[in-house]
Amino acid sequence: MGSASDEPVVKETLEVLEQMQVDYEVRVMSAHRTPERVQEYATTARDRGIEVLISAAGGSAALGGVLASWCTLPVIGIPLASSELNGWDSLLATSQMPPGIPVACMAVGAWGARNAAFFAAEILGLRHEHIREAYENYRKQLRER
């Protein structure tokens, strides 16, 4: 996440990741305030066994794009409402990545935070049966409600 103040929304992501049995790590880093930290994180992520990155950022929401610029792992962006524009700025910034450096863009805020985790589970479920099964069970429960 771009700032520690983003934690309440990111908590929504973490709860779903736990439900889907996805291991995760959380870092606070800013594309603008700590760019070296972002570069280090992205360039070493694959070596640490990370397969998907989720970024949450408001304002210019540059974090997802900067992560994507430093690695070829899938990056899922959660735009956050952190300015007077109520997340429109973040949504547009996250969704308008240049061709070849994609960031999957979720909805602004809590819904996007949850869907980022579900989308990560879909991606990871391609290789990890227990995650695929957890997500399929969740979808089955949705249908039964």
Side-chain angles (χ1 to χ4, degrees), residues 67-137:
L67 287 168
S69 76
W70 285 109
C71 69
T72 56
L73 294 171
V75 177
I76 304 168
I78 307 166
L80 301 177
S82 64
S83 74
E84 293 81 10
L85 296 176
N86 295 316
W88 279 104
D89 48 350
S90 307
L91 178 67
L92 293 174
T94 303
S95 67
Q96 292 296 313
M97 292 302 300
I101 313 294
V103 173
C105 182
M106 299 293 115
V108 175
W111 280 22
R114 292 194 302 267
N115 273 339
F118 288 125
F119 190 52
E122 286 181 325
I123 294 168
L124 295 168
L126 295 170
R127 287 186 45 164
H128 303 280
E129 187 173 342
H130 74 283
I131 297 171
R132 179 184 53 78
E133 289 173 354
Y135 184 60
E136 287 175 352
N137 288 335

Side-chain angles (χ1 to χ4, degrees), residues 3 42 51 98 144:
S3 172
E51 298 175 74
E144 291 171 354

Side-chain angles (χ1 to χ4, degrees), residues 9-74:
V9 177
V10 173
K11 184 178 178 198
E12 302 271 349
T13 306
L14 305 182
E15 289 172 358
V16 172
L17 291 173
E18 290 169 7
Q19 181 182 1
M20 297 295 113
Q21 302 171 35
V22 174
D23 293 331
Y24 62 85
E25 57 185 44
V26 179
R27 299 287 187 276
V28 176
M29 61 186 86
S30 167
H32 302 107
R33 294 181 299 275
T34 59
E36 295 86 3
R37 186 181 304 165
V38 177
Q39 178 186 8
E40 170 70 17
Y41 188 82
T43 58
T44 63
R46 188 182 304 272
D47 292 339
R48 292 192 320 278
I50 294 173
E51 298 175 74
V52 176
L53 297 171
I54 299 174
S55 78
S60 69
L63 182 58
V66 174
L67 287 168
S69 76
W70 285 109
C71 69
T72 56
L73 294 171

